[in-house]
């Protein structure tokens, strides 16, 4: 059996669909590229504006749960080339525990979340106790082959870029997405759909997708006020090492043998509030490492820090934080290249009251800044791309009323789920049922919440966050078969 996920058959777009509108996507990350591919498939003429030139792509892992895998499969993503590794288990041990001694261990099947219920797009729960066996089997087949999986972020990004730029290929119809790299958008007029570029040029389009990340420079134009983003006091060290090096050392290998099932292996130090999460990617050849810790003085302030992801950290700095970890774990830090460890700060921002304004929509980290507690940030953005494809297929971009009507539907579909994911992620750790957090959640979301004490990635959370078909719920919204609470 292949060590990585394989690609199910994609859903081909309608190649006879005429271009119906123009769209500008600001930001060429995973959120922006997913949206551009989706809108291309919907028949739109799409241009991406990205301030960087993709010369320093992020070297880190990213987890894609089943709800996002469903979308990637639909877009025609080449899983085989990207070589993600199946995520089938979560195991956690103390920082000084013997290898193989876990205080938490859970193995889950790829369609695990499908068995316990069906969560529709606006957070209403439809229990599946009455589902017949045929329907259960049909839904399981729909998710088969792309359960939760673990990518090298560069591989996921490159695969999406191929889908955006290929000429009339598997993913697109009409013109390929136009990629404008090294082009910064300084201002957006959301009502008129006008972008102002750094060189003074203006671009008018029928639809603007703001996807320029957590440090969005355009959110003030969108909301009319300064973004209230702030540091959490927590940061993440991250680095990649060769899995062959890990397995060649008997001390480090003991933590990762046997190599199946694959998934999260985490080490915790409760005294220093440290959580080290590791998992394989790129066909099992690379081990991704992320160490959540209290931000240290001067951390992330080198010359590259403004890029968020590329501030350097020394091995000595990491090891000083891991002082309570035994040598068999600390050796994995020594395996990193001299310049291979990076650090980035974690941020929070209050939930947005709406993701749409005029002819503009905001998605991804620009819309919902969330901690990596549930690995739900990227998945939420990919889901939003699916909703855009369904809602804007065949829509005449010059029809102002129709465009804004579809954006209102998008808001009704995406605001509950995205803000739920953000708020429970930012609550951190086990679900405490904090009345203040739940009150904020209930402003947007009216579906079930997990029992108090539920840990991230456990079944109760997976059922709520990852058991979702964004295509189906968007189609239901279009046909009036989805009820939205007031």
């Amino acid at each position: 059996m292949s060590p990585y996920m394989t690609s199910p058959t994609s859903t081909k777009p309608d190649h006879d669909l005429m271009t119906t509108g123009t769209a500008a996507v600001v930001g060429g990350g995973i959120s922006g590229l997913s949206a551009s591919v989706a809108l291309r498939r919907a028949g739109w003429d799409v241009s991406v504006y990205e301030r960087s030139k993709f010369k320093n792509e992020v070297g880190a892992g990213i987890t894609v749960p089943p709800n996002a895998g469903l979308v990637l499969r639909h877009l025609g993503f080449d899983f085989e080339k990207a070589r993600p590794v199946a995520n089938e288990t979560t195991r956690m041990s103390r920082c000084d525990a013997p290898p193989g001694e876990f205080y938490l261990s859970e193995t889950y099947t790829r369609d695990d979340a499908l068995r316990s219920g069906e969560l529709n797009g606006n957070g209403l729960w439809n229990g599946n106790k009455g589902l017949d066996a045929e329907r259960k089997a049909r839904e399981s087949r729909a998710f088969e082959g792309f359960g939760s999986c673990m990518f090298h972020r560069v591989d996921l990004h490159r695969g999406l870029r191929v889908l955006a730029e290929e000429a009339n290929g598997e993913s697109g119809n009409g013109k390929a997405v136009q990629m404008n790299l090294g082009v910064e958008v300084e201002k957006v007029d959301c009502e008129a759909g006008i972008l102002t570029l750094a060189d003074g040029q203006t671009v008018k389009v029928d639809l603007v997708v703001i996807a320029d990340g957590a440090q969005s420079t355009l959110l003030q134009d969108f909301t009319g006020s300064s973004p209230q983003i702030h540091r959490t006091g927590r940061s993440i060290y991250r680095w990649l090492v060769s899995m062959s090096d890990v397995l060649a050392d008997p001390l480090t290998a003991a933590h990762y043998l046997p190599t199946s099932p694959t998934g999260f292996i985490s080490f915790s130090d409760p005294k220093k509030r440290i959580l080290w999460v590791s998992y394989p990617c790129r066909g099992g050849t690379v081990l991704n490492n992320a160490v959540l810790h209290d931000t240290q003085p001067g951390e992330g302030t080198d010359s590259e820090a403004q890029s968020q992801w590329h501030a350097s950290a020394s091995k000595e700095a990491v090891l000083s934080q891991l002082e309570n970890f035994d040598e068999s774990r600390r050796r994995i830090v020594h395996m990193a290249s001299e310049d291979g460890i990076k650090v980035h700060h974690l941020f929070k921002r209050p939930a947005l009251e709406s993701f749409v304004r005029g002819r503009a929509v905001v998605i991804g980290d620009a819309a919902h800044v969330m901690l990596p507690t549930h690995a739900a940030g990227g998945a939420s953005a990919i889901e939003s791309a699916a909703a855009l494809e369904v809602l804007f297929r065949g829509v005449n971009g010059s029809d102002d009323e129709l465009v804004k009507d579809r954006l209102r539907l998008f808001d009704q579909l995406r605001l509950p789920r995205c803000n739920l994911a953000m708020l429970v992620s930012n609550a951190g750790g086990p679900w405490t049922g904090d009345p203040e957090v739940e009150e904020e959640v209930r402003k947007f979301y009216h579906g079930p919440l997990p029992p108090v004490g539920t840990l991230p990635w456990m079944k109760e959370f997976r059922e709520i966050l990852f058991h979702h078909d964004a295509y189906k719920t968007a189609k239901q919204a279009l046909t009036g078969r989805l009820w939205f609470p007031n």
Side-chain angles (χ1 to χ4, degrees):
M1 178 178 289
S2 171
Y4 51 85
M5 307 287 295
T6 57
S7 177
T9 304
S10 67
T11 302
K12 293 186 178 181
D14 179 1
H15 290 281
D16 294 327
L17 190 65
M18 298 295 291
T19 298
T20 56
T22 56
V25 178
V26 185
I30 290 169
S31 303
L33 288 180
S34 298
S36 69
V37 174
L39 287 169
R40 177 189 179 182
R41 289 173 57 92
W44 284 60
D45 184 351
V46 185
S47 297
V48 171
Y49 297 86
E50 166 58 44
R51 75 185 71 171
S52 77
K53 294 186 177 180
F54 291 156
K55 289 184 178 180
N56 293 307
E57 293 185 274
V58 174
I62 182 171
T63 299
V64 174
N67 53 322
L70 169 68
V71 178
L72 293 179
R73 171 259 189 187
H74 181 93
L75 296 179
F77 188 88
D78 191 341
F79 282 75
E80 198 159 336
K81 187 172 183 178
R83 298 189 298 162
V85 176
N87 183 337
E88 299 173 316
T89 184
T90 294
R91 289 170 284 184
M92 301 184 73
S93 70
R94 301 295 183 194
C95 57
D96 55 355
E101 183 180 295
F102 302 108
Y103 65 84
L104 184 151
S105 180
E106 180 169 351
T107 299
Y108 32 88
T109 59
R110 293 180 182 177
D111 64 344
D112 175 64
L114 289 169
R115 295 194 177 118
S116 300
E118 179 182 346
L119 189 65
N120 70 23
N122 66 336
L124 300 179
W125 183 256
N126 304 318
N128 73 351
K129 293 182 179 179
L131 292 183
D132 57 87
E134 180 181 351
R135 181 177 172 188
K136 286 182 181 179
R138 184 169 66 250
E139 292 195 349
S140 293
R141 286 195 299 272
F143 280 75
E144 186 179 354
F146 52 89
S148 178
C149 51
M150 305 171 293
F151 285 86
H152 191 300
R153 186 178 288 265
V154 169
D155 299 334
L156 176 58
H157 187 267
R158 288 178 180 172
L160 287 168
R161 188 173 176 184
V162 167
L163 293 178
E165 294 185 299
E166 65 182 357
N168 293 320
E170 183 75 11
S171 70
N173 34 247
K175 294 169 60 178
V177 172
Q178 180 180 337
M179 300 293 297
N180 301 285
L181 302 183
V183 178
E184 184 171 359
V185 177
E186 285 195 341
K187 184 178 180 181
V188 59
D189 183 333
C190 297
E191 298 296 337
I194 298 175
L195 307 181
T196 301
L197 308 184
D199 63 4
Q201 292 187 67
T202 59
V203 179
K204 182 174 174 55
V205 292
D206 300 316
L207 179 67
V208 177
V209 180
I210 299 173
D212 58 341
Q215 301 285 350
S216 173
T217 60
L218 302 178
L219 202 59
Q220 183 167 348
D221 294 336
F222 179 84
T223 63
S225 59
S226 298
Q228 300 177 47
I229 192 166
H230 63 274
R231 292 183 178 179
T232 63
R234 302 279 277 167
S235 297
I236 291 182
Y237 297 123
R238 68 180 199 281
W239 71 98
L240 303 169
V241 297
S242 165
M243 199 66 186
S244 61
D245 289 347
V246 173
L247 297 179
D249 184 324
L251 278 180
T252 55
H255 294 290
Y256 297 93
L257 292 174
T259 56
S260 180
T262 50
F264 298 130
I265 294 182
S266 303
F267 315 120
S268 66
D269 178 357
K271 292 182 180 179
K272 295 190 67 172
R273 299 201 316 145
I274 290 174
L275 178 64
W276 176 350
V277 179
S278 67
Y279 56 83
C281 57
R282 194 166 277 176
T285 64
V286 173
L287 182 69
N288 178 68
N289 297 276
V291 175
L292 178 65
H293 64 284
D294 290 335
T295 302
Q296 299 303 296
E299 196 169 71
T301 58
D302 66 14
S303 60
E304 294 183 328
Q306 290 185 353
S307 65
Q308 288 188 66
W309 281 86
H310 296 290
S312 297
S314 67
K315 292 181 182 179
E316 291 73 21
V318 178
L319 289 168
S320 69
Q321 289 299 298
L322 302 180
E323 61 183 345
N324 295 331
F325 286 68
D326 70 1
E327 181 60 23
S328 68
R329 294 169 173 88
R330 288 164 55 90
R331 282 195 183 190
I332 298 173
V333 180
H334 290 289
M335 292 177 182
S337 62
E338 286 304 319
D339 61 349
I341 302 179
K342 306 297 181 183
V343 62
H344 66 274
H345 301 296
L346 295 177
F347 295 86
K348 288 183 181 181
R349 193 177 61 215
L352 295 179
E353 298 291 333
S354 175
F355 292 158
V356 304
R357 179 182 177 188
R359 285 180 169 265
V361 57
V362 59
I363 67 169
D365 287 346
H368 39 75
V369 180
M370 64 183 80
L371 303 185
T373 312
H374 296 282
S380 297
I382 293 170
E383 273 191 1
S384 292
L388 288 174
E389 178 182 347
V390 173
L391 297 179
F392 285 90
R393 176 171 292 276
V395 169
N396 185 341
S398 63
D399 187 334
D400 186 69
E401 184 177 347
L402 183 56
V403 168
K404 291 180 178 178
D405 179 68
R406 294 302 169 87
L407 285 174
R408 282 191 292 270
L409 270 180
F410 178 91
D411 217 22
Q412 290 175 308
L413 284 168
R414 301 305 303 149
L415 197 68
R417 278 188 60 77
C418 293
N419 280 347
L420 165 70
M422 184 187 80
L423 292 167
V424 298
S425 294
N426 291 351
W431 176 247
T432 63
D434 185 312
E436 290 187 7
V437 175
E438 184 164 349
E439 181 181 1
E440 186 69 13
V441 168
R442 291 304 185 196
K443 292 179 182 178
F444 308 99
Y445 169 83
H446 302 283
L449 291 171
V452 171
T454 301
L455 292 170
W457 212 262
M458 294 299 97
K459 182 177 181 180
E460 293 84 354
F461 262 128
R462 296 198 308 272
E463 289 174 355
I464 293 170
L465 296 178
F466 304 146
H467 180 194
H468 179 75
D469 184 336
Y471 288 105
K472 181 170 67 175
T473 52
K475 291 173 183 176
Q476 289 174 337
L478 278 179
T479 58
R481 292 186 291 119
L482 200 61
W483 175 76
F484 296 103
N486 294 324

